[in-house]
Amino acid sequence: MAEATTTTRAQRKTRTGVVKSDKMQKTVTVTLTRRFAHATYGKRITRTSRVKARNTLGAKTGDLVRIMETRPLAKTVCWRVVEIVERAK
């Protein structure tokens, strides 16, 4: 009997960030902020990173969005907008 092998795919990374730019046609720039304590001194540190995400939901600048990691969709785009958590005021 041939044994069927099924491979399970790893969980994809999801992050929540704020849309900083929507000037491109299908892509938005999302700023991800993470806060953590310094290893030695314990002071709170803020680090930000910017990623580009495919925007099919129509997110605009200032929106809080949830993005998910995906296969490369363009040269710099490896994320996609999954949900608009909160619209900009």
Side-chain angles (χ1 to χ4, degrees), residues 1-81:
M1 286 189 201
E3 191 175 310
T5 59
T6 59
T7 58
T8 58
R9 189 162 57 186
Q11 287 287 66
R12 295 181 183 142
K13 295 177 192 167
T14 59
R15 302 284 185 263
T16 303
V18 178
V19 176
K20 287 296 176 185
S21 172
D22 62 344
K23 301 292 184 188
M24 295 167 273
Q25 291 178 357
K26 300 177 186 176
T27 307
V28 292
T29 303
V30 180
T31 301
L32 305 174
T33 304
R34 56 191 187 94
R35 293 177 54 84
F36 58 95
H38 188 277
T40 305
Y41 302 114
K43 182 176 178 179
R44 301 288 286 171
I45 301 174
T46 302
R47 292 282 184 255
T48 60
S49 60
R50 295 186 321 176
V51 297
K52 291 186 178 139
R54 182 57 52 103
N55 181 23
T56 56
L57 301 179
K60 300 290 183 188
T61 303
D63 291 351
L64 184 67
V65 294
R66 183 167 290 116
I67 59 176
M68 179 182 287
E69 195 175 38
T70 184
R71 66 184 176 84
L73 300 171
K75 182 179 178 181
T76 59
V77 180
C78 295
W79 296 83
R80 61 187 167 92
V81 176

